[in-house]
Amino acid sequence: MQREEIQRQILTILEDLFEFENPGLNDNLRDDHGFDSIDAIELLGEIEKILGFSLTRAEKEKAMTIRTINDILDYIEVIASEHNK
Amino acid sequence: MVNNFSPMFFDFIVTSALWFYFIGGFLLFFLFFYLLAYTLSNNRELSFQYLNHLFYKSFLRLTRLLVPRHSWQIDQDITKIKSSVIVCNHVSYLDPLIIISLFARHKTIVKTRFFHMPVFGWLMKNAGYLPSSTDDRFTFLMIKQVERMKEYLLKGGNLIIFPEGSRNNTGNMGAFNKGAFKIARLCQAPIKVLRISNSDKLFTPGKFLFNTRVRNKITVELIGSIEPDYLHAPPTVAELRNLVQKAFAAG
């Protein structure tokens, strides 16, 4: 999956499900959009749907350090590429 | 001086007796059953929740006995609540004990630092309580508990949340954290709003002694029941928070 396609899906999720307004790729998720750990756990469920497989414990824990939308995109790309190896 | 000293002395005796029971009663009457549940129970979380419920219930029974000037009135409908996110105001350290004593099947959100405490942390972890943040080694515990919450609620459990976070002694409601409403929406669960009053007159924030001398009535009321149509008209987190704030304002 191309980064542009992942970005489109993630932005749609953030706007529709998490009520983000005008999200920027480098916005601080917590400070700019009130995105907290419960949101992050909900987002992980959405990421699993995009990827089509379940995340491991380590992958989920790693997601809790994400700060920006670009971080989310990097995170998904890395996990997808590792899974395809 | 003697006049002031005597009532304070009585408060001291009662407080000592209550905290003695809190520690000694746990060790004498409950620890064995916790260990039994830890080793033998098929559902350790439910067993620990039930034991916590019983322990706090017994502590509050003793409290009622030792401080008869404080009367208690609890809505009977409250104990029938199930499969809900329960939000409650928070004015005294006793509030979590009071609310947990009403529900055999319950989980609650607790400050992460309490999970580090010996015994207390072990009890909370095994009862399936949630740490309030994803700091350090409790990150996965929180992820696991949030992911399982919908199923837990569907099976009849309740999630108790004090949305003000820390206990509030201003007399007014504090600002609400959004966590309760996010979990309710995530799990598509109804929200029950409880108001607890005057528990701070029995055990006042910032004071060590129980105040046994005032005549007081502690009440727990069900002041709101919010059952959104999550399928056809899902509310936003802000809308859920507003509904709860309105319930408190009206109640």
Side-chain angles (χ1 to χ4, degrees), chain B residues 76-115:
Chain B
Q76 287 307 303
D77 287 343
I78 291 174
T79 51
K80 294 175 191 158
I81 294 173
K82 60 180 184 177
S83 299
S84 298
V85 171
I86 296 170
V87 296
C88 185
N89 62 319
H90 193 5
V91 292
S92 166
Y93 288 123
L94 287 179
D95 299 340
L97 279 62
I98 294 170
I99 303 300
I100 288 172
S101 77
L102 300 174
F103 299 102
R105 298 180 74 162
H106 67 275
K107 292 188 180 187
T108 186
I109 297 179
V110 183
K111 283 190 168 44
T112 306
R113 64 186 156 88
F114 290 121
F115 279 83

Side-chain angles (χ1 to χ4, degrees), chain B residues 15-33:
Chain B
T15 302
S16 302
L18 287 173
W19 292 129
F20 179 77
Y21 176 78
F22 200 79
I23 297 165
F26 172 78
L27 292 172
L28 274 176
F29 306 124
F30 283 87
L31 182 59
F32 171 75
F33 293 102

Side-chain angles (χ1 to χ4, degrees), chain B residues 14-69:
Chain B
V14 169
T15 302
S16 302
L18 287 173
W19 292 129
F20 179 77
Y21 176 78
F22 200 79
I23 297 165
F26 172 78
L27 292 172
L28 274 176
F29 306 124
F30 283 87
L31 182 59
F32 171 75
F33 293 102
Y34 279 104
L35 292 172
L36 215 56
Y38 185 79
T39 49
L40 297 177
S41 174
N42 289 329
N43 191 327
R44 192 187 290 166
E45 282 191 356
L46 282 184
S47 302
F48 269 63
Q49 288 161 26
Y50 184 60
L51 286 167
N52 288 350
H53 156 77
L54 285 183
F55 177 51
Y56 293 158
K57 202 169 172 178
S58 68
F59 176 79
L60 291 168
R61 275 203 182 140
L62 182 64
T63 307
R64 286 185 189 208
L65 195 70
L66 295 179
V67 286
R69 286 188 177 182

Side-chain angles (χ1 to χ4, degrees), chain B residues 53-234:
Chain B
H53 156 77
L54 285 183
F55 177 51
Y56 293 158
K57 202 169 172 178
S58 68
F59 176 79
L60 291 168
R61 275 203 182 140
L62 182 64
T63 307
R64 286 185 189 208
L65 195 70
L66 295 179
V67 286
R69 286 188 177 182
H70 293 259
S71 61
W72 298 67
Q73 185 178 319
I74 294 167
D75 277 358
Q76 287 307 303
D77 287 343
I78 291 174
T79 51
K80 294 175 191 158
I81 294 173
K82 60 180 184 177
S83 299
S84 298
V85 171
I86 296 170
V87 296
C88 185
N89 62 319
H90 193 5
V91 292
S92 166
Y93 288 123
L94 287 179
D95 299 340
L97 279 62
I98 294 170
I99 303 300
I100 288 172
S101 77
L102 300 174
F103 299 102
R105 298 180 74 162
H106 67 275
K107 292 188 180 187
T108 186
I109 297 179
V110 183
K111 283 190 168 44
T112 306
R113 64 186 156 88
F114 290 121
F115 279 83
H116 292 279
M117 293 170 72
V119 186
F120 193 47
W122 178 76
L123 292 175
M124 292 191 303
K125 200 172 136 193
N126 283 295
Y129 293 178
L130 287 76
S132 61
S133 62
T134 52
D135 304 334
D136 58 47
R137 64 191 169 100
F138 296 107
T139 297
F140 192 69
L141 180 67
M142 186 188 190
I143 295 171
K144 190 176 74 173
Q145 289 300 344
V146 172
E147 286 178 341
R148 291 179 181 173
M149 189 55 67
K150 187 170 185 176
E151 189 189 354
Y152 173 76
L153 293 174
L154 281 172
K155 287 182 175 171
N158 290 305
L159 174 65
I160 300 163
I161 301 182
F162 299 90
E164 294 168 283
S166 297
R167 142 195 75 70
N168 167 30
N169 55 5
T170 63
N172 302 312
M173 294 294 294
F176 285 179
N177 294 325
K178 288 183 183 173
F181 315 109
K182 287 178 178 178
I183 292 178
R185 199 184 61 162
L186 180 64
C187 300
Q188 303 190 330
I191 299 174
K192 306 291 179 181
V193 189
L194 303 188
R195 179 196 292 284
I196 189 160
S197 304
N198 298 327
S199 55
D200 54 328
K201 292 187 173 66
L202 170 59
F203 193 53
T204 307
K207 296 198 174 169
F208 175 72
L209 300 179
F210 281 77
N211 187 346
T212 65
R213 293 159 286 140
V214 291
R215 291 206 178 276
N216 178 40
K217 187 178 191 179
I218 296 167
T219 59
V220 187
E221 305 160 272
L222 175 61
I223 60 168
S225 182
I226 298 163
E227 301 193 16
D229 182 354
Y230 287 107
L231 281 182
H232 300 102

